[in-house]
Amino acid sequence: MSTPPDPAVPGPVPVWVVLPADPVLGLPEQEIRARLWRRRQTATGWVFLVGLPSYEGSEDGTVRAAEYRVWVRAPEHVRPVDGVDYNQVPTDRLEAPAPPSAVREILGERRPSGWVVQKARVRRGPGRRVLHAPDCTEAPQDAPVLDLERALDVAENPATTLCTLCGAAQEITPVLRGFDHTGDETDPPGT
């Protein structure tokens, strides 16, 4: 027993599906009348779910009409049927990207959070380290990312240098020494 169609859910509407020519088999481009079930907008364009007429064999050896559903690119492989209203076809649209904030336009993209340590190789004496932002070109790519508290512990060590290329020195020094010590060390306090 078949279930009656739900009037709230629109059924498929007719559409022409364009089959490309096949020069190997000597087949020209063809149009086949099909049923349009759904439309979907993708990042590269539209695709339509169409039902193409087909046939299938049954267990008792008879052949019956069937439908083969496939997603096809539109408008390359789909054309409308004159006089058909396509406004009721279920349509999945991409969400519009949020407009960029004024802050992001001015400041640019945020740098990844955290800090990484680069261990310098020395022959004698205590090991030297350099503290970098994770996206610094000089930072090691396989180093674990430290949070601010751990980065401050590492930065307090006299064997640690803060990278000036990525801004680690400009960002961590005020936290370590206060904002009065952000200038050159030879400057008097408060200048």
Side-chain angles (χ1 to χ4, degrees):
M1 179 172 155
S2 64
T3 308
D6 182 353
V9 178
V13 295
V15 68
W16 290 109
V17 173
V18 180
L19 301 178
D22 187 340
V24 174
L25 296 176
L27 297 174
E29 181 180 280
Q30 299 177 42
E31 284 188 352
I32 296 177
R33 186 107 173 227
R35 300 189 314 165
L36 176 59
W37 288 93
R38 183 169 216 87
R39 300 181 289 192
R40 180 172 294 153
Q41 185 180 26
T42 69
T44 58
W46 286 90
V47 291
F48 287 15
L49 179 61
V50 297
L52 298 167
S54 179
Y55 295 94
E56 65 184 3
S58 64
E59 290 179 10
D60 64 2
T62 60
V63 177
R64 63 178 177 238
E67 182 176 74
Y68 174 72
R69 291 190 188 175
V70 63
W71 289 97
V72 295
R73 298 213 52 81
E76 298 95 324
H77 299 289
V78 181
R79 293 192 184 127
V81 172
D82 290 337
V84 175
D85 179 15
Y86 293 97
N87 290 327
Q88 300 304 315
V89 175
T91 303
D92 305 317
R93 295 184 183 276
L94 285 177
E95 290 185 23
S101 72
V103 171
R104 191 62 50 226
E105 285 184 28
I106 294 168
L107 298 179
E109 292 300 314
R110 286 187 60 183
R111 187 182 79 221
S113 63
W115 309 94
V116 295
V117 176
Q118 176 187 17
K119 294 180 181 174
R121 297 178 190 194
V122 293
R123 289 183 173 234
R124 296 177 193 229
R128 307 284 307 162
R129 297 180 289 191
V130 181
L131 193 63
H132 297 278
D135 62 345
C136 180
T137 57
E138 298 294 319
Q141 298 303 311
D142 57 346
V145 177
L146 308 175
D147 63 10
L148 179 60
E149 186 175 332
R150 182 69 184 114
L152 291 172
D153 290 342
V154 170
E156 287 178 330
N157 186 316
T160 302
T161 304
L162 304 178
C163 179
T164 56
L165 180 64
C166 65
Q170 293 85 348
E171 292 183 33
I172 290 188
T173 301
V175 179
L176 284 174
R177 301 183 186 150
F179 289 97
D180 290 338
H181 295 87
T182 58
D184 188 348
E185 292 300 320
T186 60
D187 290 343
T191 59

